[in-house]
Amino acid sequence: MMKNMELLEIMLSDMETAPSIYRPSNFWSIFIQTLCDEIRENGVSSFRSQKHALQLYVPEYPHSELGRMEAFCDYKVFVAADNSQLPDLTKVSESQIGAPAQQFIFENKHYSKSCLNYLRGLAYLKKTVDTSNIRSILEIGGGFGSLGEIFLKSDSQRHFYVNVDIPPLSYVSTRYLEALFGKENVGAYDVTRDLEEIDLDLFADKYRAMVLLPWQLPRIKGHIDLFVNFFSFQEMEPDIVENYASHINRLIKGHLLMRNQRTGKQIAEKPGEIGVLKPVTRKDYIRFFYPFDMVGIDSRAFGNQQGGFHSEVSVFQRREEYALPCGTR
């Protein structure tokens, strides 16, 4: 088993030789070195309090009474919208692993902004479609693993979560999920790195969660019930997202749950500056994910309309004419 930062360094080394379509987008390429240096210096035991993590992948509410009010409003939306379908989200209370700089306690359970964002999205999914048979989730750009924590803690039977992300976020999410559920229950990159074929149906019988790297997607086989992406596609250029969509279209047999800004990410003035070179919008999702129909969209309760920020949550369902073969998980 790899020790300390060895796994991170191997991830970074492999990323340098990966096809360009799987390497960091313009937005993320600016921050990789800074994030890695922060992790190398401080480790991951306090990553949820580290400066650049908070700026980039650990979202927070304002540090004031207004922040608590916003968090409580999000909590109330989640509770009001949630229903008795599985997954059972009432079981979820977020851990204190990673030393979170901000958490709120409502009805004796802990919640961060990341956690409540996902809970509202999942409640909207449950409100929109039948989720009772969802046993597996694939996420691209899962940050530190918050969705994996929620989904696996809601488990009334055996659930399976897969996060695909670039390093160092893939490294952080590996360590976070291992701390939550035990190293023996998480398939890390060193397990799959040299495999010519990654059969998710087989790994689902061995692990509760897996963390894969983007360039491994062409080697994945098997099928997953639900795909989730919250914002990270909008930190990429359209050609990168279209390539990811080609894999999602062959792997996901049920639904997509997406959250995005209506107008897309800010545009960089030139390559190498903060922003994207070309924004990804809802129209791109509809075009790229052609085997799926959009069956629900909301920005008032489950998204966010605040000042100039306008986000929306959408649910897609696989069309019958594009149904995947039977007999898969």
Side-chain angles (χ1 to χ4, degrees):
M1 183 176 294
M2 296 183 182
K3 299 178 181 180
N4 299 325
M5 299 294 173
E6 184 182 357
L7 180 62
L8 173 61
E9 303 306 333
I10 289 175
M11 288 175 168
L12 292 169
S13 176
D14 288 354
M15 184 168 68
E16 291 181 4
T17 60
S20 60
I21 199 73
Y22 297 112
R23 294 203 297 267
S25 62
N26 182 78
F27 177 87
W28 274 103
S29 62
I30 300 168
F31 302 111
I32 295 295
Q33 188 62 51
T34 300
L35 286 172
C36 288
D37 289 345
E38 188 170 68
I39 292 168
R40 290 184 183 112
E41 180 178 353
N42 302 302
V44 294
S45 62
S46 62
F47 78 90
R48 295 175 70 186
S49 298
Q50 293 172 13
K51 175 182 176 182
H52 296 101
L54 291 168
Q55 293 173 349
L56 292 165
Y57 64 94
V58 182
E60 291 188 295
Y61 296 100
H63 280 259
S64 64
E65 186 58 30
L66 176 61
R68 181 174 179 80
M69 290 173 60
E70 288 183 17
F72 188 56
C73 286
D74 287 348
Y75 173 75
K76 288 194 296 182
V77 169
F78 150 60
V79 171
D82 193 25
N83 59 39
S84 60
Q85 281 193 90
L86 296 176
D88 185 355
L89 304 178
T90 64
K91 293 181 177 180
V92 176
S93 178
E94 191 182 53
S95 79
Q96 285 76 60
I97 293 169
Q102 183 189 67
Q103 269 186 335
F104 298 95
I105 300 175
F106 302 125
E107 297 186 276
N108 298 317
K109 293 185 173 69
H110 291 78
Y111 303 96
S112 67
K113 184 171 185 177
S114 179
C115 183
L116 286 170
N117 279 344
Y118 280 118
L119 287 170
R120 283 192 300 149
L122 290 168
Y124 182 62
L125 178 73
K126 292 171 69 174
K127 180 182 173 69
T128 307
V129 298
D130 182 2
T131 62
S132 58
N133 291 320
I134 291 177
R135 296 291 180 268
S136 54
I137 292 180
L138 170 67
E139 182 174 23
I140 290 179
F144 64 88
S146 185
L147 176 61
E149 176 177 10
I150 291 168
F151 187 55
L152 298 181
K153 283 185 173 179
S154 72
D155 188 4
S156 61
Q157 299 183 36
R158 186 172 175 84
H159 285 175
F160 182 54
Y161 167 77
V162 182
N163 179 32
V164 178
D165 212 337
I166 57 173
L169 282 76
S170 50
Y171 174 76
V172 173
S173 63
T174 299
R175 297 308 186 216
Y176 188 71
L177 293 168
E178 287 176 342
L180 282 166
F181 303 109
K183 289 186 178 181
E184 71 280 4
N185 291 313
V186 179
Y189 181 55
D190 57 316
V191 173
T192 59
R193 181 188 181 213
D194 297 324
L195 296 181
E196 293 183 2
E197 181 178 271
I198 301 169
D199 189 333
L200 295 181
D201 294 340
L202 294 178
F203 279 111
D205 291 331
K206 186 174 182 180
Y207 298 110
R208 300 195 71 197
M210 293 186 71
V211 179
L212 301 174
L213 282 291
W215 52 89
Q216 295 181 286
L217 278 167
R219 290 183 264 155
I220 294 176
K221 64 172 291 189
H223 294 117
I224 295 286
D225 297 318
L226 172 68
F227 171 75
V228 176
N229 184 269
F230 271 31
F231 293 123
S232 70
F233 274 164
Q234 294 196 300
E235 298 162 352
M236 310 174 192
E237 277 59 58
D239 63 320
I240 299 176
V241 178
E242 186 171 17
N243 178 61
Y244 281 138
S246 70
H247 297 292
I248 293 160
N249 291 343
R250 69 178 175 84
L251 294 170
I252 305 303
K253 62 182 180 180
H255 299 90
L256 316 178
L257 174 63
M258 319 282 277
R259 187 172 180 184
N260 61 281
Q261 290 177 242
R262 178 170 290 184
T263 57
K265 200 77 174 176
Q266 71 181 74
I267 300 174
E269 292 188 7
K270 59 182 180 181
E273 296 193 356
I274 295 176
V276 296
L277 304 180
K278 184 178 180 181
V280 172
T281 65
R282 184 201 308 170
K283 290 183 179 179
D284 293 310
Y285 290 165
I286 293 171
R287 179 164 58 92
F288 296 157
F289 299 103
Y290 61 87
F292 299 84
D293 284 327
M294 183 185 288
V295 294
I297 187 165
D298 177 88
S299 61
R300 295 175 62 188
F302 301 95
N304 195 338
Q305 295 183 25
Q306 191 173 43
F309 183 81
H310 192 151
S311 71
E312 54 194 21
V313 176
S314 55
V315 175
F316 292 73
Q317 180 168 286
R318 194 166 194 101
R319 297 162 65 178
E320 289 186 8
E321 60 265 40
Y322 290 103
L324 294 174
C326 296
T328 58
R329 294 184 73 92

